[in-house]
Amino acid sequence: MSVTLIARPPGAGGSCDDCPLLDCAQFLALSPPLRTLLAGLMQGQAIAIEGAEIVAAGQPGELFTLHDGWAYRWTALADGRRQIIDFHLPGDLIGVEAALGGPVTHSVTMLTSGVLCRFGRPDLARLLADHPALGELFLRSAMAEIRSLERSVAALGRMTATERLATLLVGLYRRSSAINRVAPGSRSCFFPATQRHLADAAGLTPTHVNNTLRHLREQGIATLSGRLLTVHDLPELTRLAGHDAAPPGRRLLL
Amino acid sequence: MSVTLIARPPGAGGSCDDCPLLDCAQFLALSPPLRTLLAGLMQGQAIAIEGAEIVAAGQPGELFTLHDGWAYRWTALADGRRQIIDFHLPGDLIGVEAALGGPVTHSVTMLTSGVLCRFGRPDLARLLADHPALGELFLRSAMAEIRSLERSVAALGRMTATERLATLLVGLYRRSSAINRVAPGSRSCFFPATQRHLADAAGLTPTHVNNTLRHLREQGIATLSGRLLTVHDLPELTRLAGHDAAPPGRRLLL
DNA sequence: CGTATGTTTGATCAGCTTCAATGGAAGTGG
DNA sequence: CCACTTCCATTGAAGCTGATCAAACATACG
């Protein structure tokens, strides 16, 4: 894992103050002193290449913010069947579990090459003691995560293949949009997941994912091609996903 | 919801110091002052009858600890399909989401009649500020919840009907055992969920749950009959569930 | 240009669903 | 105390969604 992380030269990524993610309404607002504190906790950036396991099941890990690129969180059954639990986009916090010292039951792998902001293993107990506001922020972040997982459970348990894929696509499209990765006026976003990744996330086979994507394409709902997702009919995709218009909860940005 | 809650006469449940749940290794250890503080936050107990919705999707709710009885957390799709996200057993914290003031996207319904310890809507921000240790405890609790949901996602996405039911049964059996509800030497525990509940939790139809339970019974693995779950072959049930021996994370007991 | 990876399509099959009907157990009201 | 209702468990038969297996095709890359 960490062998595949390459330290980035100091200053190469610019200051945290200039981080483009700060402009996103997606994240919980932080007081200026708290923001400064968190920036101070950052131990530097690292470049992670595609395929790098930045968190490994059963092993101690550290806390990251994904700064650029996509990753995915997954577990494997004993016989090798793989389930992708969720995808991670820029701004996502990765490794809270590991940083808390709890048992890590999943792995996180880079879907693309990207940049991570490293936070090591901060002494969370002391951090929370010194800055009580952080506790609530972490907790709210965790609750947003729980809501998202509950939605996945409902999708995997009770939805058809088309609905599950719609759920995945609309969710990722919305998240891309929330971090300003959908150009105004555009209906497209970067989408590096292969059909195999989608299959492992939706609990389907790659073959059936392909059939279902063709269906969505022929219905003029959404097109996935060449690492680009284009949503032609967002209302219909949203309806298929059974999504209420409620935006995903705000999360913590370190 | 709260209409179906009947306040319990003060003192009827005995003092928190005598709570039998305190003896369970299942829960995070608390310092005596913190334990006293939490006991002081309790606003009394309430009796909830079977079928009572103690948390309703989209509505403000309050924080509870389930003291006795079972409940289940669920969401419904637009067309009525129901997914049970998880079951709640005595000792489980219910309504953290609601108490945080976040959007509540699920409902919690009593599976049996039971007793709740009510905590209203504590000012969590101030509570965390005054008692920083609580932040870490809540966070660890939330992470345990996330691990459990991730396991559900993997089960629903990648497991067969038999494996899913094994996952459910072994999980609930272990949790019953962790709160001393499996008599020493016994292989049975109280199990009030009907086959319809199991179907809605495992993402199956009641018919297929019945077939699968018969299979488990005929293989001499587990028997579910008359609100009683008997596990004849725990190793085999555990193997089917793909469970590593890792016990579920410890949770917070209020 | 050969190789690896991903996409597309087809054919067959099985796990699970759907629909339907019966029987048992528990609760309710006369 | 018994008919009546209701809920749940059980079983059967037929059908469909999605899995499995297989192979061709496209694309990127060293």
Side-chain angles (χ1 to χ4, degrees):
Chain A
M1 40 170 290
S2 46
V3 276
T4 47
L5 292 186
I6 301 150
R8 209 181 190 195
S15 152
C16 280
D17 300 333
D18 306 327
C19 186
L21 289 168
L22 285 176
D23 298 332
C24 304
Q26 162 75 4
F27 302 104
L28 288 162
L30 292 186
S31 67
L34 210 48
R35 165 72 42 222
T36 306
L37 170 85
L38 291 178
L41 285 177
M42 215 237 280
Q43 299 178 352
Q45 291 187 318
I47 297 171
I49 63 168
E50 179 184 336
E53 261 195 26
I54 58 180
V55 174
Q59 302 199 352
E62 54 177 314
L63 188 63
F64 300 103
T65 292
L66 186 53
H67 183 273
D68 250 322
W70 282 36
Y72 59 94
R73 189 158 100 251
W74 58 279
T75 52
L77 302 190
D79 60 359
R81 282 172 287 179
R82 183 176 74 160
Q83 175 68 41
I84 291 183
I85 298 162
D86 200 3
F87 292 94
H88 291 293
L89 272 60
D92 283 2
L93 205 51
I94 296 176
V96 179
E97 192 110 30
L100 267 173
V104 179
T105 54
H106 56 246
S107 300
V108 181
T109 301
M110 291 301 294
L111 185 56
T112 67
S113 295
V115 177
L116 303 167
C117 301
R118 308 180 58 174
F119 292 89
R121 291 187 62 173
D123 184 344
L124 276 179
R126 225 185 92 196
L127 204 56
L128 295 180
D130 292 348
H131 307 275
L134 263 184
E136 194 189 339
L137 293 171
F138 268 107
L139 195 53
R140 282 189 192 282
S141 245
M143 296 317 286
E145 178 71 37
I146 287 175
R147 272 195 300 278
S148 158
L149 285 170
E150 290 185 347
R151 173 160 291 192
S152 297
V153 165
L156 292 171
R158 284 299 182 214
M159 284 185 175
T160 66
T162 307
E163 293 167 334
R164 291 187 204 181
L165 278 180
T167 301
L168 268 176
L169 296 185
V170 79
L172 291 166
Y173 182 77
R174 285 230 165 105
R175 284 165 69 186
S176 292
S177 175
I179 53 172
N180 303 335
R181 302 295 167 105
V182 177
S186 156
R187 296 155 180 273
S188 300
C189 71
F190 177 59
F191 198 94
T194 67
Q195 293 185 2
R196 163 158 289 282
H197 290 119
L198 288 177
D200 284 335
L204 302 169
T205 56
T207 304
H208 201 56
V209 166
N210 187 287
N211 293 335
T212 308
L213 285 179
R214 180 180 44 187
H215 177 245
L216 288 176
R217 193 188 324 129
E218 290 173 349
Q219 299 287 318
I221 297 172
T223 305
L224 187 51
S225 172
R227 304 193 118 198
L228 201 69
L229 167 67
T230 305
V231 177
H232 303 107
D233 189 346
L234 185 56
E236 177 61 9
L237 195 66
T238 304
R239 192 192 61 77
L240 280 173
H243 271 223
D244 29 16
R250 290 165 172 240
R251 287 168 300 104
L252 177 62
L253 178 68
L254 285 193
Chain B
M1 39 172 287
S2 46
V3 277
T4 45
L5 293 187
I6 303 150
R8 208 178 191 198
S15 152
C16 281
D17 300 333
D18 306 327
C19 185
L21 289 168
L22 285 177
D23 298 331
C24 304
Q26 163 74 5
F27 302 103
L28 288 162
L30 291 186
S31 66
L34 209 46
R35 164 77 37 225
T36 306
L37 169 86
L38 291 177
L41 285 176
M42 216 239 279
Q43 299 176 353
Q45 291 187 319
I47 297 171
I49 62 167
E50 179 184 336
E53 262 195 27
I54 57 179
V55 175
Q59 302 199 352
E62 54 177 313
L63 188 64
F64 299 102
T65 292
L66 186 53
H67 184 273
D68 249 322
W70 282 36
Y72 59 95
R73 190 157 100 251
W74 58 280
T75 52
L77 303 190
D79 61 357
R81 282 173 286 179
R82 182 176 75 161
Q83 176 67 42
I84 290 183
I85 298 163
D86 200 5
F87 293 94
H88 291 293
L89 272 60
D92 284 1
L93 205 51
I94 296 176
V96 179
E97 191 108 32
L100 267 173
V104 179
T105 55
H106 56 245
S107 299
V108 181
T109 301
M110 292 300 294
L111 185 55
T112 67
S113 297
V115 177
L116 304 167
C117 302
R118 308 181 58 173
F119 292 89
R121 291 188 62 175
D123 184 345
L124 276 179
R126 225 184 92 197
L127 204 56
L128 295 180
D130 293 347
H131 308 274
L134 263 185
E136 193 190 340
L137 294 171
F138 268 107
L139 195 52
R140 283 190 191 281
S141 243
M143 297 315 287
E145 179 71 37
I146 287 175
R147 272 194 301 277
S148 158
L149 285 170
E150 290 185 347
R151 174 159 289 192
S152 297
V153 165
L156 293 171
R158 285 298 182 213
M159 283 184 174
T160 65
T162 307
E163 293 167 334
R164 292 188 205 181
L165 278 180
T167 301
L168 268 175
L169 297 185
V170 79
L172 291 167
Y173 182 76
R174 284 230 166 107
R175 286 166 67 186
S176 292
S177 175
I179 53 172
N180 303 334
R181 302 295 167 106
V182 177
S186 156
R187 297 154 178 272
S188 301
C189 71
F190 177 57
F191 197 94
T194 67
Q195 294 186 1
R196 162 157 290 281
H197 291 119
L198 288 178
D200 284 335
L204 302 167
T205 55
T207 303
H208 201 57
V209 166
N210 188 288
N211 292 335
T212 308
L213 285 179
R214 181 181 43 191
H215 177 245
L216 288 175
R217 192 188 324 129
E218 290 173 349
Q219 298 289 317
I221 298 172
T223 305
L224 187 51
S225 172
R227 304 193 118 199
L228 201 69
L229 167 67
T230 306
V231 177
H232 304 107
D233 188 346
L234 184 57
E236 177 61 9
L237 195 66
T238 304
R239 192 192 62 76
L240 280 173
H243 272 222
D244 29 16
R250 291 167 171 240
R251 287 169 300 104
L252 178 61
L253 177 70
L254 285 192

